[in-house]
Amino acid sequence: MKGLLIALGMLVVAVIVALGGAGDNGYVVVGRGDWVLQLSLSLFALALVVVVALLYGLARLAALVWGMPGAVRALIKAKRQGRSRRGLNRGLAALTEGRWGEAERRLADGALDSEVPLLNWLGAARAAEGLGVPERRDRYLHLAHASVPSAELAVGITQAEFQLAGDRLEQALATLLQLREKAPDNSQVIHSLVKLLRRMGEWQRLVELLPAWRASKGTDQTEADALEAEAWGHLLWATEDVSAAKQSWSRIPPKMQRRESLTALYAELLLGAELDDEAESLLGDAVERKWGEALVYLYGRAQGAHPARQLERAEGWLSKHGQEPALLQALGRVCMRGRLWGKARDYLQASIAARPEAETYQVLVELLEQINEHVSAAKYAREGLAHVVQHRSASQPSHDQPTPAAAGEGCRLSDCSLPGPGMSW
């Protein structure tokens, strides 16, 4: 199209020159030595246009010939890249579908001609990991880094994922810590570190990392709160004595101290060290701040130095929580310590009526034995035993429906860790 326009332009110029010189008798004389050439002005102008056109055409032809090898190379490269692009698409599809062998072959074969070799090599590494061939996997990771040296972070994160999948936790930790030195604010590295430290039970390191995780993009703050409470709970539980427990408790942020699970755990440690007055005060304040059944239960177990004052405080909760079995049981225990046998019996029987529990039956039987009502004690002992047998029969898993543990499913923290029944971190 461009050549046609040039030819038309030359034709127009030639016509204009010819028409312009039709009535003009001017001429042009060119001489060299004994040779003399005389042309009319219009013919000379036309010849000049033709010569310029020929020179232009020769120049274009020379440029075309000169650039032909490059054009051929570009054509071949484009063809290879097109084939590599199709191989990348098919390889990624095979990788997603778990066809590891096909994925590795397509992605590795097309990597050298790929416009995005990093994707090819990383995909081939994942396929080799799926095939269980660590030598090829590591070679592909090395080639991925060599193809795009600036993508060290992406290659490192992928390598850490493989190490985690293979339970090489120490290696994964070393890899992620090295990556964090180079990219301290990278959210993916921080998130992977958080998961790894939780899996390894490195609770102190996890607590130190949590502020960075909270500040990173996309962090669920509710999840972060639960994880921080879990970490502090394990640190508290691992203390060797009550002095260490108090020191650990003082390091816990006030927001975390107000969580029911941590308050209950610390109170249990105090009760175990026979620091009942401290536990009673802690639990009473916590219950009045936010009702929690586990806290009320532990409040009833606390053998404070002033049972009457403890009873008065607990009975103040009856107006809002008078039908709570845990409160009724706690009141029964406190009344027993105050030797208020009648009130203790009434509270314990009311607790059983609201929700029969083996422990409440046991406390009631102990009370009745103390006041020499052996017949009633035997009666409630039989009822308690029947309740335990019935409860165990009802909760026994069916042979046709395996439990989550048998099915290989992970339990939730609230089902398998430190907080008591009905509580989560």
Side-chain angles (χ1 to χ4, degrees), residues 38-117:
Q38 181 176 328
L39 298 170
S40 65
L41 182 59
S42 58
L43 183 58
F44 174 78
L46 183 60
L48 184 61
V49 171
V50 171
V51 169
V52 171
L54 287 174
L55 290 175
Y56 175 78
L58 288 173
R60 288 293 305 273
L61 181 61
L64 181 62
V65 172
W66 182 266
M68 188 170 292
V72 171
R73 285 195 298 270
L75 183 63
I76 294 173
K77 182 179 179 181
K79 186 175 181 180
R80 287 178 176 174
Q81 286 181 341
R83 185 167 58 247
S84 174
R85 196 179 302 113
R86 291 189 295 273
L88 175 62
N89 292 335
R90 292 170 182 169
L92 291 177
L95 186 67
T96 304
E97 296 168 5
R99 292 180 278 120
W100 311 120
E102 180 185 350
E104 181 188 6
R105 176 175 56 81
R106 289 189 179 278
L107 293 169
D109 289 349
L112 295 178
D113 297 319
S114 177
E115 298 169 315
V116 282

Side-chain angles (χ1 to χ4, degrees), residues 31 42 65 84 100 107 130 146 175 202 223 258 267 283 373 418 423:
S42 58
V65 172
S84 174
W100 311 120
L107 293 169
T175 299
E202 293 280 354
E223 182 183 358
R258 289 193 291 271
L283 290 164
E373 292 192 18
L418 301 181
M423 262 199 303

Side-chain angles (χ1 to χ4, degrees), residues 52 88 99 146 187 193 222 233 282 312 354 407:
V52 171
L88 175 62
R99 292 180 278 120
S187 58
L193 262 175
T222 301
L282 173 74
E312 181 182 1

